[in-house]
Every structure is written in structure tokens, then in C-alpha cells.
Coordinates of all heavy atoms in Angstrom, one line a residue:
P1 N -36.4 12.2 -6.2 CA -37.3 13.3 -5.8 C -38.1 13.0 -4.6 O -38.2 11.9 -4.1 CB -38.2 13.5 -7.0 CG -37.5 13.0 -8.2 CD -36.6 11.9 -7.7
F2 N -38.7 14.0 -4.1 CA -39.5 13.9 -2.9 C -40.6 12.9 -2.9 O -40.7 12.1 -1.9 CB -40.1 15.3 -2.5 CG -40.9 15.3 -1.3 CD1 -40.4 15.3 -0.1 CD2 -42.4 15.3 -1.4 CE1 -41.2 15.4 1.1 CE2 -43.1 15.3 -0.3 CZ -42.5 15.3 1.0
N3 N -41.3 12.8 -4.0 CA -42.4 11.8 -4.1 C -42.0 10.4 -3.9 O -42.6 9.6 -3.2 CB -43.2 11.9 -5.4 CG -43.8 13.3 -5.6 OD1 -43.7 14.1 -4.8 ND2 -44.6 13.4 -6.7
I4 N -40.9 10.0 -4.6 CA -40.4 8.7 -4.5 C -39.9 8.4 -3.1 O -40.1 7.3 -2.5 CB -39.4 8.4 -5.6 CG1 -40.0 8.5 -7.0 CG2 -38.7 7.1 -5.4 CD1 -39.1 8.5 -8.1
S5 N -39.2 9.4 -2.5 CA -38.7 9.2 -1.1 C -39.9 8.9 -0.2 O -39.8 8.1 0.7 CB -38.0 10.4 -0.7 OG -36.9 10.7 -1.5
M6 N -41.0 9.7 -0.3 CA -42.1 9.5 0.6 C -42.8 8.1 0.4 O -43.2 7.5 1.3 CB -43.2 10.6 0.4 CG -42.7 12.0 0.8 SD -41.9 12.1 2.4 CE -42.9 11.3 3.5
V7 N -42.9 7.7 -0.9 CA -43.4 6.3 -1.1 C -42.6 5.3 -0.5 O -43.2 4.3 0.1 CB -43.6 6.1 -2.7 CG1 -43.9 4.6 -3.0 CG2 -44.6 7.0 -3.3
L8 N -41.3 5.4 -0.5 CA -40.4 4.5 0.1 C -40.5 4.5 1.6 O -40.5 3.4 2.3 CB -38.9 4.7 -0.3 CG -38.6 4.4 -1.8 CD1 -37.2 4.8 -2.1 CD2 -38.9 3.0 -2.1
V9 N -40.7 5.6 2.2 CA -40.9 5.8 3.7 C -42.2 5.1 4.1 O -42.2 4.3 5.0 CB -40.9 7.3 4.1 CG1 -41.4 7.4 5.5 CG2 -39.5 7.8 4.0
V10 N -43.3 5.3 3.3 CA -44.6 4.7 3.6 C -44.4 3.2 3.5 O -45.0 2.4 4.3 CB -45.7 5.3 2.7 CG1 -46.9 4.4 2.8 CG2 -45.9 6.7 3.0
A11 N -43.7 2.7 2.5 CA -43.5 1.2 2.3 C -42.8 0.6 3.5 O -43.2 -0.4 4.0 CB -42.7 0.9 1.0
V12 N -41.8 1.3 4.0 CA -41.1 0.8 5.2 C -42.0 0.8 6.4 O -42.0 -0.1 7.2 CB -39.8 1.7 5.5 CG1 -39.2 1.4 6.8 CG2 -38.8 1.5 4.4
I13 N -42.8 1.9 6.6 CA -43.8 1.9 7.7 C -44.8 0.8 7.6 O -45.1 0.1 8.6 CB -44.5 3.3 7.8 CG1 -43.4 4.4 8.2 CG2 -45.6 3.3 8.7 CD1 -43.9 5.8 8.1
Y14 N -45.3 0.6 6.4 CA -46.3 -0.5 6.2 C -45.6 -1.8 6.6 O -46.2 -2.7 7.2 CB -46.7 -0.5 4.7 CG -48.0 0.2 4.5 CD1 -48.2 1.5 4.9 CD2 -49.1 -0.5 3.8 CE1 -49.4 2.1 4.6 CE2 -50.3 0.2 3.5 CZ -50.4 1.5 4.0 OH -51.6 2.1 3.7
A15 N -44.4 -2.1 6.1 CA -43.7 -3.3 6.4 C -43.5 -3.5 7.9 O -43.7 -4.6 8.4 CB -42.4 -3.4 5.6
F16 N -43.1 -2.5 8.5 CA -42.8 -2.5 10.0 C -44.0 -2.8 10.8 O -44.0 -3.5 11.8 CB -42.2 -1.1 10.4 CG -41.8 -1.1 11.8 CD1 -40.7 -1.7 12.3 CD2 -42.6 -0.4 12.8 CE1 -40.3 -1.7 13.6 CE2 -42.2 -0.4 14.1 CZ -41.1 -1.0 14.5
N17 N -45.2 -2.3 10.3 CA -46.5 -2.5 11.0 C -47.2 -3.8 10.5 O -48.3 -4.0 10.9 CB -47.4 -1.3 10.9 CG -46.8 -0.1 11.7 OD1 -46.5 -0.3 12.9 ND2 -46.8 1.0 11.1
G18 N -46.6 -4.6 9.6 CA -47.2 -5.8 9.2 C -48.4 -5.6 8.2 O -49.2 -6.4 8.0
L19 N -48.4 -4.4 7.6 CA -49.5 -4.1 6.6 C -49.1 -4.4 5.2 O -49.9 -4.2 4.3 CB -49.9 -2.6 6.8 CG -50.4 -2.2 8.1 CD1 -50.5 -0.7 8.2 CD2 -51.7 -2.9 8.5
M20 N -47.9 -4.9 4.9 CA -47.4 -5.1 3.6 C -47.9 -6.4 3.1 O -47.3 -7.4 3.4 CB -45.9 -5.0 3.5 CG -45.3 -5.0 2.1 SD -45.8 -3.5 1.2 CE -44.8 -2.3 1.9
T21 N -49.0 -6.4 2.4 CA -49.6 -7.6 1.9 C -49.3 -7.8 0.4 O -48.8 -6.8 -0.2 CB -51.1 -7.6 2.1 OG1 -51.7 -6.6 1.3 CG2 -51.5 -7.5 3.5
T22 N -49.6 -8.9 -0.2 CA -49.3 -9.0 -1.6 C -50.2 -8.0 -2.4 O -49.8 -7.5 -3.4 CB -49.6 -10.4 -2.1 OG1 -50.9 -10.8 -1.7 CG2 -48.6 -11.4 -1.5
K23 N -51.4 -7.7 -1.9 CA -52.2 -6.8 -2.6 C -51.6 -5.4 -2.6 O -51.6 -4.7 -3.6 CB -53.6 -6.7 -2.0 CG -54.6 -5.8 -2.7 CD -55.9 -5.9 -2.1 CE -56.9 -4.9 -2.9 NZ -58.3 -4.9 -2.4
V24 N -51.0 -5.0 -1.4 CA -50.4 -3.7 -1.3 C -49.2 -3.6 -2.2 O -49.0 -2.6 -2.9 CB -50.0 -3.4 0.2 CG1 -49.1 -2.2 0.3 CG2 -51.2 -3.3 1.0
V25 N -48.4 -4.7 -2.3 CA -47.3 -4.7 -3.2 C -47.7 -4.6 -4.6 O -47.1 -3.8 -5.4 CB -46.4 -6.0 -2.9 CG1 -45.3 -6.1 -4.0 CG2 -45.8 -5.9 -1.5
F26 N -48.7 -5.4 -5.0 CA -49.2 -5.3 -6.3 C -49.7 -3.9 -6.7 O -49.4 -3.4 -7.8 CB -50.4 -6.3 -6.5 CG -51.0 -6.3 -7.8 CD1 -50.4 -6.8 -8.9 CD2 -52.3 -5.8 -8.0 CE1 -51.0 -6.8 -10.2 CE2 -52.9 -5.8 -9.2 CZ -52.2 -6.3 -10.3
L27 N -50.5 -3.3 -5.9 CA -51.0 -2.0 -6.1 C -49.8 -0.9 -6.2 O -49.8 0.0 -7.0 CB -52.0 -1.5 -5.1 CG -53.3 -2.3 -5.1 CD1 -54.2 -2.0 -3.9 CD2 -54.0 -2.1 -6.4
A28 N -48.8 -1.1 -5.3 CA -47.7 -0.2 -5.4 C -46.9 -0.3 -6.7 O -46.4 0.7 -7.2 CB -46.8 -0.5 -4.2
L29 N -46.8 -1.6 -7.1 CA -46.0 -1.8 -8.4 C -46.8 -1.2 -9.6 O -46.2 -0.6 -10.5 CB -45.8 -3.3 -8.6 CG -44.8 -3.9 -7.7 CD1 -44.8 -5.4 -8.0 CD2 -43.4 -3.3 -7.9
I30 N -48.1 -1.2 -9.5 CA -48.9 -0.6 -10.5 C -48.8 0.9 -10.5 O -48.7 1.6 -11.5 CB -50.4 -1.0 -10.4 CG1 -50.6 -2.4 -10.8 CG2 -51.3 -0.1 -11.3 CD1 -52.0 -3.0 -10.5
A31 N -48.8 1.5 -9.3 CA -48.8 2.9 -9.1 C -47.4 3.6 -9.3 O -47.3 4.7 -9.7 CB -49.2 3.3 -7.7
F32 N -46.3 2.8 -9.1 CA -45.0 3.3 -9.2 C -44.6 4.0 -10.5 O -44.1 5.1 -10.5 CB -43.9 2.3 -8.8 CG -42.5 2.8 -8.8 CD1 -42.1 3.6 -7.6 CD2 -41.7 2.7 -9.8 CE1 -40.9 4.1 -7.6 CE2 -40.4 3.2 -9.7 CZ -40.0 3.9 -8.6
P33 N -45.0 3.4 -11.7 CA -44.6 4.2 -12.9 C -45.3 5.5 -13.0 O -44.7 6.5 -13.5 CB -45.1 3.2 -14.0 CG -45.1 1.8 -13.4 CD -45.5 2.1 -11.9
A34 N -46.6 5.6 -12.5 CA -47.3 6.9 -12.6 C -46.7 7.9 -11.6 O -46.5 9.1 -12.0 CB -48.7 6.7 -12.2
I35 N -46.2 7.4 -10.5 CA -45.5 8.3 -9.5 C -44.2 8.8 -10.1 O -43.9 10.0 -10.0 CB -45.3 7.6 -8.2 CG1 -46.7 7.3 -7.5 CG2 -44.4 8.4 -7.3 CD1 -46.6 6.3 -6.4
A36 N -43.5 7.9 -10.7 CA -42.2 8.3 -11.3 C -42.4 9.3 -12.4 O -41.7 10.3 -12.6 CB -41.4 7.1 -11.7
L37 N -43.4 9.0 -13.3 CA -43.6 9.8 -14.4 C -44.1 11.2 -14.0 O -43.6 12.2 -14.5 CB -44.7 9.2 -15.3 CG -45.1 10.0 -16.6 CD1 -43.9 10.1 -17.5 CD2 -46.2 9.3 -17.3
G38 N -45.0 11.2 -13.0 CA -45.4 12.5 -12.5 C -44.3 13.3 -11.9 O -44.3 14.6 -12.1
A39 N -43.4 12.7 -11.2 CA -42.3 13.4 -10.6 C -41.4 14.0 -11.7 O -40.9 15.1 -11.6 CB -41.5 12.5 -9.7
R40 N -41.2 13.1 -12.7 CA -40.3 13.6 -13.8 C -40.9 14.8 -14.6 O -40.2 15.7 -14.9 CB -40.1 12.4 -14.8 CG -39.2 12.7 -15.9 CD -37.8 13.0 -15.5 NE -37.0 13.2 -16.6 CZ -35.9 14.0 -16.6 NH1 -35.4 14.4 -15.5 NH2 -35.2 14.1 -17.6
I41 N -42.2 14.7 -14.8 CA -42.9 15.8 -15.5 C -42.9 17.0 -14.6 O -42.7 18.2 -15.2 CB -44.4 15.4 -15.8 CG1 -44.4 14.3 -16.9 CG2 -45.2 16.6 -16.2 CD1 -45.8 13.7 -17.2
G42 N -43.0 16.9 -13.4 CA -42.9 18.1 -12.5 C -41.6 18.7 -12.5 O -41.5 20.0 -12.5
V43 N -40.5 17.9 -12.5 CA -39.2 18.4 -12.6 C -39.0 19.2 -13.9 O -38.4 20.3 -14.0 CB -38.1 17.4 -12.4 CG1 -36.7 17.8 -12.8 CG2 -38.1 16.8 -11.0
L44 N -39.4 18.6 -15.0 CA -39.2 19.2 -16.3 C -40.1 20.5 -16.4 O -39.6 21.5 -17.0 CB -39.7 18.3 -17.4 CG -38.7 17.1 -17.6 CD1 -39.4 16.1 -18.7 CD2 -37.4 17.5 -18.1
A45 N -41.3 20.5 -15.9 CA -42.1 21.7 -15.9 C -41.5 22.8 -15.1 O -41.5 24.0 -15.5 CB -43.5 21.3 -15.4
Y46 N -40.9 22.4 -14.0 CA -40.3 23.5 -13.1 C -39.1 24.1 -13.8 O -38.8 25.3 -13.7 CB -39.8 22.8 -11.8 CG -39.3 23.8 -10.8 CD1 -40.2 24.6 -10.1 CD2 -38.0 24.0 -10.6 CE1 -39.8 25.6 -9.2 CE2 -37.5 24.9 -9.7 CZ -38.4 25.7 -9.0 OH -37.9 26.7 -8.2
R47 N -38.4 23.3 -14.6 CA -37.2 23.9 -15.4 C -37.6 24.8 -16.5 O -36.9 25.7 -16.9 CB -36.4 22.8 -15.9 CG -35.6 22.0 -14.8 CD -34.8 20.9 -15.4 NE -34.1 20.1 -14.3 CZ -33.6 19.0 -14.6 NH1 -33.6 18.4 -15.8 NH2 -33.0 18.3 -13.6
R48 N -38.8 24.5 -17.1 CA -39.2 25.2 -18.3 C -40.0 26.5 -18.1 O -40.1 27.4 -18.9 CB -40.0 24.3 -19.2 CG -39.2 23.2 -19.8 CD -40.0 22.4 -20.8 NE -39.2 21.4 -21.5 CZ -38.7 21.6 -22.7 NH1 -39.0 22.7 -23.4 NH2 -37.9 20.7 -23.2
I49 N -40.7 26.6 -16.9 CA -41.5 27.8 -16.7 C -41.0 28.5 -15.4 O -40.3 27.9 -14.6 CB -43.0 27.4 -16.5 CG1 -43.2 26.5 -15.3 CG2 -43.6 26.8 -17.7 CD1 -44.7 26.1 -15.1
N50 N -41.3 29.7 -15.3 CA -40.8 30.5 -14.1 C -41.6 30.1 -12.9 O -42.6 29.4 -12.9 CB -40.8 32.0 -14.4 CG -42.2 32.6 -14.5 OD1 -43.1 32.2 -13.8 ND2 -42.4 33.5 -15.5
E51 N -41.1 30.5 -11.7 CA -41.6 30.1 -10.4 C -43.1 30.6 -10.3 O -43.9 29.8 -9.7 CB -40.8 30.7 -9.3 CG -41.3 30.1 -7.9 CD -40.3 30.5 -6.8 OE1 -39.2 31.0 -7.1 OE2 -40.7 30.4 -5.7
R52 N -43.4 31.7 -10.7 CA -44.8 32.2 -10.6 C -45.8 31.4 -11.4 O -46.8 31.0 -10.9 CB -44.9 33.7 -11.1 CG -46.2 34.3 -10.9 CD -46.2 35.8 -11.3 NE -47.5 36.4 -11.1 CZ -48.4 36.5 -12.1 NH1 -48.2 36.0 -13.3 NH2 -49.6 37.1 -11.9
Q53 N -45.4 31.0 -12.7 CA -46.2 30.2 -13.5 C -46.3 28.8 -12.9 O -47.4 28.2 -12.8 CB -45.7 30.0 -14.9 CG -45.7 31.3 -15.7 CD -44.9 31.2 -17.0 OE1 -43.8 30.6 -17.0 NE2 -45.4 31.7 -18.0
Y54 N -45.3 28.2 -12.3 CA -45.3 26.9 -11.7 C -46.2 26.9 -10.5 O -47.0 26.0 -10.3 CB -43.9 26.5 -11.2 CG -43.8 25.1 -10.7 CD1 -43.7 24.0 -11.6 CD2 -43.7 24.9 -9.3 CE1 -43.6 22.8 -11.1 CE2 -43.6 23.6 -8.8 CZ -43.6 22.5 -9.7 OH -43.5 21.3 -9.2
R55 N -46.2 28.0 -9.6 CA -47.1 28.0 -8.5 C -48.5 28.2 -8.9 O -49.4 27.5 -8.3 CB -46.7 29.3 -7.6 CG -45.4 29.0 -6.8 CD -45.1 30.3 -6.0 NE -43.8 30.1 -5.4 CZ -43.6 30.3 -4.1 NH1 -44.6 30.6 -3.3 NH2 -42.4 30.1 -3.5
S56 N -48.8 28.9 -9.9 CA -50.1 29.1 -10.4 C -50.7 27.7 -10.9 O -51.8 27.3 -10.7 CB -50.2 30.1 -11.5 OG -49.9 31.4 -11.0
L57 N -49.9 27.0 -11.7 CA -50.2 25.7 -12.2 C -50.5 24.7 -11.1 O -51.4 24.0 -11.1 CB -49.1 25.2 -13.1 CG -49.4 23.8 -13.7 CD1 -50.6 23.8 -14.6 CD2 -48.1 23.4 -14.6
L58 N -49.6 24.7 -10.1 CA -49.7 23.8 -8.9 C -51.0 24.1 -8.1 O -51.7 23.2 -7.8 CB -48.5 24.0 -8.1 CG -48.4 23.1 -6.8 CD1 -48.4 21.6 -7.3 CD2 -47.2 23.4 -6.0
L59 N -51.3 25.4 -7.9 CA -52.5 25.8 -7.2 C -53.7 25.3 -8.0 O -54.7 24.9 -7.4 CB -52.5 27.2 -6.9 CG -51.6 27.7 -5.8 CD1 -51.6 29.2 -5.7 CD2 -52.0 27.1 -4.4
F60 N -53.7 25.5 -9.3 CA -54.8 25.1 -10.1 C -55.0 23.6 -10.0 O -56.2 23.1 -9.9 CB -54.6 25.5 -11.6 CG -55.6 25.0 -12.5 CD1 -56.9 25.6 -12.5 CD2 -55.4 24.0 -13.4 CE1 -57.9 25.1 -13.4 CE2 -56.3 23.5 -14.2 CZ -57.6 24.0 -14.2
M61 N -54.0 22.8 -10.1 CA -54.1 21.4 -10.1 C -54.6 20.9 -8.7 O -55.4 20.0 -8.6 CB -52.8 20.7 -10.4 CG -52.4 20.8 -11.9 SD -51.0 19.9 -12.5 CE -49.7 20.4 -11.4
L62 N -54.1 21.6 -7.6 CA -54.6 21.3 -6.3 C -56.1 21.6 -6.2 O -56.8 20.8 -5.6 CB -53.8 22.0 -5.2 CG -52.4 21.5 -4.9 CD1 -51.7 22.5 -4.0 CD2 -52.5 20.1 -4.3
F63 N -56.5 22.7 -6.7 CA -57.9 23.1 -6.7 C -58.8 22.0 -7.4 O -59.8 21.5 -6.9 CB -58.1 24.4 -7.3 CG -59.6 24.8 -7.5 CD1 -60.3 25.2 -6.4 CD2 -60.2 24.8 -8.7 CE1 -61.6 25.6 -6.5 CE2 -61.5 25.1 -8.9 CZ -62.3 25.5 -7.8
V64 N -58.3 21.6 -8.6 CA -59.1 20.6 -9.4 C -59.1 19.3 -8.7 O -60.2 18.7 -8.6 CB -58.5 20.5 -10.8 CG1 -59.1 19.3 -11.5 CG2 -58.6 21.8 -11.6
S65 N -58.0 18.9 -8.1 CA -58.0 17.6 -7.4 C -58.9 17.6 -6.1 O -59.6 16.7 -5.8 CB -56.6 17.1 -7.0 OG -56.0 18.0 -6.1
G66 N -58.9 18.8 -5.5 CA -59.8 19.0 -4.3 C -61.3 18.9 -4.7 O -62.1 18.3 -4.0
M67 N -61.6 19.6 -5.8 CA -63.0 19.6 -6.3 C -63.4 18.2 -6.7 O -64.6 17.7 -6.4 CB -63.1 20.5 -7.5 CG -63.0 22.0 -7.1 SD -64.1 22.5 -5.8 CE -65.7 22.3 -6.7
V68 N -62.5 17.4 -7.3 CA -62.9 16.0 -7.6 C -63.1 15.2 -6.3 O -64.1 14.3 -6.3 CB -61.7 15.4 -8.4 CG1 -61.9 13.8 -8.5 CG2 -61.6 15.9 -9.8
L69 N -62.4 15.5 -5.3 CA -62.6 14.7 -4.0 C -63.9 15.1 -3.3 O -64.6 14.2 -2.7 CB -61.5 15.0 -3.1 CG -60.1 14.3 -3.5 CD1 -59.1 14.8 -2.5 CD2 -60.3 12.8 -3.4
V70 N -64.4 16.3 -3.4 CA -65.5 16.8 -2.7 C -66.8 16.8 -3.5 O -67.9 16.8 -3.0 CB -65.4 18.2 -2.0 CG1 -64.2 18.1 -1.0 CG2 -65.2 19.2 -3.0
W71 N -66.7 16.8 -4.8 CA -67.9 16.8 -5.7 C -68.6 15.5 -5.7 O -68.0 14.5 -5.9 CB -67.4 17.1 -7.1 CG -68.5 17.7 -8.0 CD1 -69.4 17.0 -8.8 CD2 -69.0 19.0 -8.1 NE1 -70.2 17.8 -9.4 CE2 -70.0 19.1 -9.0 CE3 -68.5 20.2 -7.6 CZ2 -70.7 20.2 -9.4 CZ3 -69.1 21.4 -7.9 CH2 -70.2 21.4 -8.8
P72 N -69.9 15.5 -5.4 CA -70.6 14.2 -5.3 C -70.7 13.6 -6.7 O -70.9 14.3 -7.7 CB -72.0 14.6 -4.8 CG -72.2 16.0 -5.1 CD -70.7 16.6 -5.1
G73 N -70.6 12.3 -6.8 CA -70.8 11.6 -8.0 C -69.8 10.6 -8.2 O -69.4 9.7 -8.7

């Protein structure tokens, strides 16, 4: 899926620019299962609900994640 492709592209860019440290690799290995799981859940959700419901859910999740980023605390 798209998410995993983008993570691989970023990894190549990091490596090319000399930013691929052991800490970055460690954090990427920790994050990869969550990325893969999130991508899988997204594919399954898209198959089970219609496009309108999927868009509404996606917009809601984007709104919530945006609020978490800007809300002080």
C-alpha cells in the first residue's frame, strides 16, 4: 500500500543523505508494525463500508489528529 511505499522512499532518502543512524533504524523497526497494521485496517475498512462513510471517517480522524497537534497540553 501507499503508506509502506512512502516509508521506504523516506528510508532511502535518509540513507542517501547520511541521516540513517542506528536510532532511526530502531525507531523505524518499532513503528513499522503499527504502520503495516494501520494500512491493513484501512484496506479492510474501505472494503466494508461505502465511499461516503469512508470519507466521513477519514475526515473525522484527520480532524481529531489535527486537534491533538494544536491543542496545548
Side-chain angles (χ1 to χ4, degrees):
F2 177 77
N3 294 5
I4 295 172
S5 300
M6 294 313 312
V7 169
L8 292 175
V9 167
V10 169
V12 169
I13 292 170
Y14 265 53
F16 183 75
N17 289 314
L19 300 172
M20 190 62 76
T21 64
T22 54
K23 183 177 180 178
V24 170
V25 171
F26 177 72
L27 293 173
L29 290 174
I30 290 173
F32 185 76
I35 293 167
L37 180 63
R40 183 68 179 151
I41 289 170
V43 168
L44 291 174
Y46 187 76
R47 289 181 184 162
R48 291 185 175 259
I49 60 178
N50 66 42
E51 187 174 345
R52 184 173 179 271
Q53 292 170 321
Y54 186 80
R55 286 178 187 236
S56 296
L57 178 62
L58 183 63
L59 286 173
F60 174 75
M61 290 189 305
L62 285 170
F63 173 76
V64 170
S65 65
M67 292 304 295
V68 167
L69 288 173
V70 298
W71 200 268

